[in-house]
Amino acid sequence: MTLAEQLRERLRAGFTACGFDGEALEKVGVTQAADLRFGDYQSNAAMVLAKGAKQNPRALAESVSEATDVAGLAKIEIAGPGFLNFRVKPEAFALRLGDMLGDDRLGVAKVSQALRIVIDFSAPNVAKPMHVGHLRSTFIGDALARVARFLGHEVITDNHIGDWGTQFGMVIWAWKKELNRTALEGDPLTELLRLYRLASSQSKEEDAIREECRQELVALQQGNAENLEIWKECVRLSQEGLRAIYERLNVSFDHWLGESSYNERLADVVESLEEAGLARESDGAVCVFSDESLAPKIDPFKIQKEGEWEDKPMIVRKSDGGFNYATTDIATIDYRVEEFAADCAWYVVDHRQGDHFKQLFSVAQRRGHKLALEHISFGTILGKNGKPLKTREGDLPLLSDLLRDAVQAARESSEGRTRVEDEEQRELLAETIGLSAIKFMELSHHRTSDYIYDLEKMVAMEGDTAPYLQNAYVRCRTIFSKLAEEVFLDGDGLVLEGDEEIHLARMLSRFGESVPAVLDEFRANLLASYLLDLARAYHSFYHVSPVLKSEGAVRKTRLVLCELTARVLRKGLELLGIDVPERM
Ligand code: ARG
């Protein structure tokens, strides 16, 4: 049990002794203290429960504090209007370290109720560039999948790629006229993108070309054999190119059920929506309208125009008979329920698609689906000028270029100070650090905030960066490589004396609280900032507490602190999808 859970249990016993039971006890919670000056943990339970019990909160806190047995664990103090503050005793931290040492989960419990969760993330579009937005989705989605799995959930990851859509009209048109086979075989993503851009710019200039592209699309949708062949090849080659990027990033998917996987189901979906009275014809299109159950302000099917509320329907079949992104997404939910028996589906997608997901989730609910649906949205990556990140040419930067630049920055930053001499090893290290740096920069920010993409900053050894954490890990490991004797570490007889030792133990013991917190609001940055705090605690400890020169129980304790710091850093980073090098 984490220290927070142990304290909560003791505190509940205290409240029970003061006459509380049932639902009231459920409300007794213990959280990490916001400010360590007041203790390690705190509870506002006395304030929450005083009113119903017709008592003065401070007086209630006093009686509960007397009735709560925290011997060997903590000291209780009462503060302000009735806060209960707990200061954990060093011996309790020492016991916790001992437990963690013998536990390959490092004190992180599994959830009591495992859910089957489909995570829909990354999802780039075929023939269009995989850009920074997909980068955010990829890293956040992968981290959430890793955390949820580690916590014991059954996770199904699905890359819902955009492999069907209007872009294929243009790609097929250009493919027929301008395809460069050699280029395609060398680097499929780039060649497909070139074709797409070519057609897109030419059709903007010439109406006739736009019309030809449209015709190619219609032919594809009607099942024209040649166009279907080209489409298939585009998708296959794109997937190949994407897989290479994912492999490099160490991201994997259980499924690649792209939009086209649902084509066969779309007509039925629309029919069933109509039959259920959820959709109806409007100006030749078929649309889902509001069910008027919500106030217009929070109704995703309403929009305010010039002070009036108007309908904002979800179009599920266009007047030309074509289906939409939304139709596919409805079919996808059906599939995830039928085939995966999913309890939840999480969509890690740009915040600009917020309205789409609100409508989608409402439709799913009206169709009677019970699964919990979450849009895990994120903000924009900005350039140094504070505007959305663009290349010098004004295009959205390609993911592959960003990766290349990050590895280059890592190479430059480690020049002259790395201890790794072998050229090949150094190259591998630059790759690890460069890619980790981008990932960590992403995951250390609150997902809904925008942040500035700063290459030099993210590969720096100092600051809130991946190299800072990796360096802390390497330091821990170096100590063990310098040991003259072989040591077997166990948790018996650990003694924590100095403030730095105690603080490091405190941070280590919080791992079991920090990992589950990630899923509360789908915030990987909570784990990222926990790891930064841990590494800072380790650095402070390292400067004042010699390990190799100390003796007896002190030395053993310090070795345990180093060992656990290394393990927690490695595990924590692994949950964020980040590797640690053994040497830097
Ligand atoms: N391909 C879409 C895009 O790039 C994202 C798809 C997200 N997933 C979904 N089920 N709608 O914008």
Side-chain angles (χ1 to χ4, degrees):
M1 257 198 285
T2 63
L3 289 169
E5 282 162 349
Q6 294 180 34
L7 287 167
R8 189 185 60 201
E9 213 158 78
R10 307 262 189 125
L11 188 60
R12 284 189 180 170
F15 271 94
T16 310
C18 293
F20 290 87
D21 57 15
E23 245 175 66
L25 289 183
E26 290 290 303
K27 291 192 186 139
V28 175
V30 171
T31 56
Q32 287 175 7
D35 186 335
L36 285 179
R37 277 175 302 173
F38 305 122
D40 294 290
Y41 293 93
Q42 62 182 34
S43 174
N44 62 1
M47 283 134 74
V48 173
L49 294 177
K51 210 168 170 207
K54 299 205 172 59
Q55 291 192 41
N56 168 294
R58 180 125 190 153
L60 177 58
E62 306 266 357
S63 10
V64 170
S65 134
E66 254 155 58
T68 302
D69 172 17
V70 281
L73 189 57
K75 259 186 1 211
I76 307 186
E77 283 154 28
I78 296 160
F83 280 108
L84 292 155
N85 292 336
F86 303 89
R87 207 172 287 277
V88 174
K89 299 201 163 143
E91 56 267 34
F93 283 135
L95 276 180
R96 182 82 185 139
L97 295 185
D99 291 346
M100 287 174 74
L101 202 60
D103 173 10
D104 57 11
R105 299 186 55 81
L106 294 164
V108 183
K110 288 201 174 179
V111 289
S112 53
Q113 202 200 356
L115 299 170
R116 186 167 300 169
I117 306 166
V118 173
I119 310 186
D120 178 320
F121 70 99
S122 197
N125 300 315
V126 170
K128 289 193 191 172
M130 179 158 171
H131 57 70
V132 280
H134 298 116
L135 171 112
R136 296 202 76 169
S137 172
T138 306
F139 294 163
I140 297 170
D142 182 54
L144 293 175
R146 287 164 183 266
V147 169
R149 262 195 194 123
F150 182 56
L151 291 174
H153 292 296
E154 207 179 309
V155 173
I156 300 170
T157 50
D158 183 13
N159 196 4
H160 187 83
I161 55 170
D163 60 1
W164 192 255
T166 47
Q167 76 261 39
F168 285 103
M170 292 191 256
V171 178
I172 292 173
W173 178 86
W175 177 290
K176 288 182 179 172
K177 294 203 164 41
E178 301 279 347
L179 176 65
N180 176 341
R181 269 274 160 204
T182 332
L184 187 74
E185 266 140 40
D187 180 356
L189 294 185
T190 305
E191 175 61 5
L192 287 175
L193 180 60
R194 188 185 70 85
L195 293 177
Y196 169 73
R197 285 198 172 142
L198 188 87
S200 152
S201 71
Q202 296 204 4
S203 62
K204 264 181 212 134
E205 275 160 29
E206 270 182 65
D207 286 348
I209 295 182
R210 195 181 38 231
E211 182 52 26
E212 281 174 35
C213 292
R214 210 185 62 80
Q215 289 302 333
E216 296 292 5
L217 182 68
V218 172
L220 172 70
Q221 287 168 341
Q222 288 171 348
N224 171 290
E226 185 189 2
N227 284 14
L228 268 178
E229 266 323 300
I230 297 176
W231 167 75
K232 263 196 209 141
E233 203 172 347
C234 286
V235 174
R236 186 180 60 76
L237 288 167
S238 260
Q239 287 205 15
E240 231 168 67
L242 290 171
R243 273 181 216 277
I245 295 186
Y246 291 128
E247 204 165 297
R248 206 173 157 198
L249 293 173
N250 194 11
V251 170
S252 64
F253 297 91
D254 300 314
H255 300 279
W256 285 63
L257 295 165
E259 292 177 20
S260 72
S261 330
Y262 303 95
N263 283 354
E264 302 288 306
R265 294 172 157 245
L266 302 182
D268 288 351
V269 164
V270 173
E271 199 173 304
S272 81
L273 285 167
E274 285 180 302
E275 267 166 24
L278 285 174
R280 62 182 149 84
E281 219 203 280
S282 167
D283 292 331
V286 180
C287 306
V288 178
F289 288 88
S290 167
D291 64 359
E292 310 292 338
S293 68
L294 294 173
K297 236 175 133 167
I298 52 166
D299 187 335
F301 298 89
K302 296 280 178 188
I303 189 166
Q304 198 168 31
K305 276 199 191 134
E306 290 157 22
E308 298 287 319
W309 287 104
E310 283 180 18
D311 284 324
K312 190 181 74 174
M314 176 189 239
I315 303 174
V316 290
R317 199 178 69 206
K318 293 182 278 187
S319 51
D320 68 7
F323 302 105
N324 277 340
Y325 182 58
T327 328
T328 305
D329 258 333
I330 299 174
T332 307
I333 292 184
D334 291 351
Y335 184 88
R336 288 172 179 171
V337 170
E338 289 161 23
E339 296 296 318
F340 298 143
D343 299 306
C344 319
W346 297 350
Y347 297 80
V348 188
V349 186
D350 195 311
H351 73 104
R352 278 166 297 189
Q353 294 194 30
D355 289 343
H356 163 69
F357 285 109
K358 281 194 195 122
Q359 290 194 329
L360 176 67
F361 296 171
S362 154
V363 171
Q365 193 191 17
R366 279 150 76 182
R367 277 161 79 75
H369 286 315
K370 295 279 184 290
L371 81 172
L373 297 159
E374 294 283 350
H375 175 202
I376 300 173
S377 68
F378 49 82
T380 308
I381 302 183
L382 307 174
K384 284 195 179 148
N385 59 4
K387 302 223 175 80
L389 189 65
K390 293 256 168 71
T391 62
R392 242 173 273 136
E393 293 72 41
D395 292 322
L396 283 176
L398 301 188
L399 186 51
S400 47
D401 293 347
L402 294 176
L403 301 184
R404 181 202 58 209
D405 295 348
V407 172
Q408 174 59 19
R411 211 177 276 131
E412 281 163 18
S413 131
S414 78
E415 217 146 85
R417 53 170 191 192
T418 174
R419 303 230 173 98
V420 179
E421 268 142 37
D422 179 79
E423 191 62 37
E424 206 174 308
Q425 293 294 325
R426 272 228 297 259
E427 200 39 47
L428 280 177
L429 187 63
E431 170 88 4
T432 306
I433 294 184
L435 301 184
S436 315
I438 301 201
K439 275 198 194 182
F440 191 78
M441 178 190 53
E442 169 59 51
L443 296 170
S444 60
H445 287 89
H446 191 302
R447 62 181 165 78
T448 59
S449 55
D450 299 345
Y451 66 84
I452 291 178
Y453 190 86
D454 186 334
L455 265 179
E456 290 85 68
K457 215 164 140 184
M458 73 195 201
V459 296
M461 202 64 105
E462 293 301 324
D464 296 352
T465 66
Y468 176 71
L469 295 174
Q470 291 165 323
N471 186 40
Y473 172 79
V474 170
R475 274 194 184 181
C476 299
R477 303 290 306 156
T478 309
I479 290 184
F480 289 92
S481 67
K482 287 191 187 148
L483 275 182
E485 77 282 15
E486 236 185 296
V487 284
F488 293 100
L489 293 173
D490 62 54
D492 294 337
L494 303 180
V495 282
L496 293 163
E497 284 168 348
D499 285 347
E500 288 78 11
E501 289 175 358
I502 295 175
H503 185 56
L504 179 54
R506 166 187 297 121
M507 290 316 302
L508 286 167
S509 70
R510 288 184 172 194
F511 189 50
E513 293 157 13
S514 303
V515 178
V518 169
L519 296 193
D520 292 346
E521 289 173 4
F522 312 106
R523 286 180 54 189
N525 67 312
L526 294 178
L527 178 56
S529 49
Y530 162 78
L531 294 173
L532 289 168
D533 285 342
L534 174 66
R536 281 185 208 110
Y538 180 73
H539 279 129
S540 315
F541 155 84
Y542 184 84
H543 287 302
V544 299
S545 322
V547 181
L548 298 173
K549 289 196 185 113
S550 58
E551 285 169 3
V554 171
R555 183 175 204 253
K556 176 175 170 179
T557 306
R558 290 180 181 172
L559 282 172
V560 166
L561 287 167
C562 294
E563 170 67 20
L564 282 175
T565 303
R567 282 198 218 164
V568 168
L569 283 173
R570 188 174 53 208
K571 186 75 208 174
L573 285 169
E574 180 195 313
L575 292 175
L576 297 179
I578 293 174
D579 276 342
V580 285
E582 288 300 317
R583 276 154 45 84
M584 271 176 99

